[in-house]
Amino acid sequence: MKAAIKFLLIMMLISVKTVAQQLVVDTSFMQTYCANNYNKLDGFFDKGKGHNRTTTNLSTSVYALPNIQSTQIGKLDPFTPVLILKEGKHPKTNISWIKIRYEVQNDKGTYLDKQGYIIDKNLSLGVVNTNSTNENIDFILSKSPLLDTDLKKPKFRLNAINRFTDLNYKKIKSVRTYDLSIGAIEYYNHFYLADVYNTALKNMPNLLRLYWHHGESCPESEGHVFIADVNGKMSEIVSASSTGEGGFYESTKVYIPIKFNKGKILLVENGDSENMLDSYNGTLRTIPYPKDCGIPIEQLVVVVEEDAEGKTDAEGNFIEDNHKEIVMEITHKIIRYFKWDGQKLKEAKKVVIKQRKEN
């Protein structure tokens, strides 16, 4: 009897040891995370896909090893900053794992570094750099559970996290979330959020511009989403985008009234007064105020849609000018005039200069 019990205990120990060994072996599929922080855009070395991320609105379980059978060593509160170290997909379970570094606070109030593994979900899409005037507001971009029925325009959720102080950045005062449709591309590698300074729009308390960029394949794409904060509610009011490469481009540009010294107001492309000089052409990215539109400039937003294709010769080769630039021909151009009523934009006038032929 004793021999049988001893045998069972030995077998149990061997079994436990085998499982532990198997869990250790499972870490071999984890690879060092590639952050791609090498491209400088908008003054920041950041392409969105950085080491620094944040959990979103749900608590996140942390495991000792990349296996759901391993010990849970902790739980991360919603909107906790983490540092990505490794990533990988388990070859048998097909579960994607991320190895992270995070901080925990001990009884003395000191933050200590810890490491662990989380399942690859419930994380922000990337770093959202911001020059917002409120330093305690942290903007976190993530996929939204809300999707269009055709799935062609996945929605993204922007979370505005009001933290107490930089010294106590984990403590949250309030959270506001809102959903944006910013195009058919599911992956963006750069995000930048900025206040639109000195907007001249009447009764506009706060206007944000979310810039996104996709540049890991051709054609490259970028866009701007304008978000108004009206009566404590944030909503997307208008957006711009452009895509193209040699031989074609498609663009939608938004012109926002911006107030300068001595009360001068200009309609500035994408409301970006810091980059309104086109140094290549030596021109300003502005348009003249169209007085015949019937809308005061303090209530006017102009949207210009324009597509173009490169001209070709009889053999199908692109025609170039004296500067070796492809000669472009506009195939579609529509100007829309919107009126801001203090709550939302309403289209007031549409001017068709050239309209694309529908198939």
Side-chain angles (χ1 to χ4, degrees):
M1 185 69 177
K2 290 183 178 179
I5 294 174
K6 185 176 181 181
F7 175 78
L8 288 174
L9 288 173
I10 291 172
M11 292 304 295
M12 288 175 63
L13 288 172
I14 291 173
S15 177
V16 170
K17 185 177 181 181
T18 302
V19 171
Q21 288 175 339
Q22 182 64 40
L23 287 174
V24 171
V25 172
D26 283 347
T27 63
S28 63
F29 65 88
M30 301 295 294
Q31 302 294 321
T32 300
Y33 182 77
C34 180
N36 290 343
N37 284 336
Y38 53 79
N39 195 12
K40 188 173 183 180
L41 292 170
D42 279 346
F44 291 92
F45 286 95
D46 170 53
K47 293 183 69 178
K49 192 179 179 183
H51 284 288
N52 295 291
R53 297 291 183 87
T54 307
T55 61
T56 52
N57 63 312
L58 301 174
S59 61
T60 302
S61 297
V62 183
Y63 296 84
L65 292 164
N67 189 308
I68 57 175
Q69 302 302 322
S70 68
T71 304
Q72 289 191 32
I73 59 175
K75 268 192 175 293
L76 301 179
D77 291 332
F79 307 112
T80 297
V82 300
L83 186 73
I84 299 179
L85 303 176
K86 292 185 177 182
E87 63 179 346
K89 180 178 286 188
H90 196 287
K92 293 183 179 179
T93 63
N94 287 324
I95 296 176
S96 294
W97 289 88
I98 293 176
K99 185 177 182 180
I100 62 167
R101 179 184 297 155
Y102 61 102
E103 290 184 337
V104 294
Q105 192 174 20
N106 62 17
D107 296 337
K108 297 180 180 179
T110 303
Y111 284 102
L112 304 174
D113 279 345
K114 294 195 71 174
Q115 293 186 16
Y117 295 85
I118 62 173
I119 296 175
D120 185 9
K121 63 179 182 179
N122 194 37
L123 273 185
S124 61
L125 291 176
V127 175
V128 178
N129 280 316
T130 176
N131 72 345
S132 177
T133 53
N134 191 333
E135 296 180 356
N136 291 332
I137 293 289
D138 188 13
F139 289 97
I140 297 171
L141 191 67
S142 61
K143 276 288 186 70
S144 169
L146 303 177
L147 291 173
D148 290 350
T149 54
D150 58 6
L151 302 181
K152 290 182 179 179
K153 286 190 176 182
K155 286 183 178 291
F156 292 77
R157 176 162 290 180
L158 190 61
N159 306 275
I161 314 302
N162 190 356
R163 302 187 186 275
F164 274 83
T165 64
D166 291 338
L167 295 177
N168 194 5
Y169 62 91
K170 289 187 178 181
K171 195 171 183 181
I172 296 173
K173 283 184 179 179
S174 62
V175 177
R176 285 191 293 170
T177 63
Y178 48 107
D179 298 286
L180 311 168
S181 296
I182 59 177
I185 301 173
E186 293 191 7
Y187 169 67
Y188 301 88
N189 51 22
H190 179 72
F191 312 97
Y192 178 70
L193 193 70
D195 284 316
V196 179
Y197 290 120
N198 303 318
T199 175
L201 283 174
K202 187 177 181 180
N203 297 325
M204 171 62 77
N206 188 27
L207 185 63
L208 297 174
R209 174 175 62 90
L210 174 65
Y211 167 79
W212 58 263
H213 175 260
H214 176 79
E216 291 197 343
S217 61
C218 291
E220 289 196 30
S221 303
E222 67 176 3
H224 306 261
V225 181
F226 294 91
I227 304 157
D229 186 354
V230 181
N231 297 327
K233 181 180 180 181
M234 291 186 174
S235 61
E236 177 182 347
I237 61 169
V238 68
S239 62
S241 64
S242 65
T243 185
E245 54 185 332
F248 92 97
Y249 70 78
E250 299 174 352
S251 72
T252 300
K253 295 179 180 178
V254 173
Y255 292 86
I256 306 287
I258 302 295
K259 185 177 293 185
F260 294 88
N261 289 338
K262 299 180 180 179
K264 185 177 181 63
I265 298 176
L266 296 176
L267 292 166
V268 178
E269 181 180 318
N270 298 323
D272 188 3
S273 57
E274 295 181 33
N275 298 287
M276 60 187 289
L277 174 63
D278 186 339
S279 57
Y280 181 78
N281 296 315
T283 57
L284 290 178
R285 295 188 176 99
T286 60
I287 58 172
Y289 169 54
K291 296 180 181 179
D292 60 348
C293 71
I295 304 173
I297 193 170
E298 294 88 352
Q299 295 177 275
L300 176 65
V301 171
V302 181
V303 177
V304 179
E305 303 171 8
E306 184 176 289
D307 301 350
E309 296 178 357
K311 287 187 176 182
T312 56
D313 57 24
E315 297 179 352
N317 300 314
F318 286 122
I319 299 172
E320 296 182 344
D321 60 20
N322 295 334
H323 302 286
K324 300 297 182 180
E325 299 282 349
I326 297 174
V327 178
M328 304 297 288
E329 180 180 22
I330 294 176
T331 58
H332 171 85
K333 186 168 185 176
I334 294 178
I335 302 174
R336 303 177 189 273
Y337 300 104
F338 290 84
K339 186 175 182 179
W340 172 253
D341 65 2
Q343 298 289 329
K344 58 185 177 180
L345 285 176
K346 296 180 180 179
E347 186 173 339
K349 187 177 181 180
K350 172 182 172 182
V351 178
V352 178
I353 297 175
K354 192 169 187 177
Q355 197 159 8
R356 69 172 69 91
K357 296 179 181 178
E358 302 294 341
N359 295 329

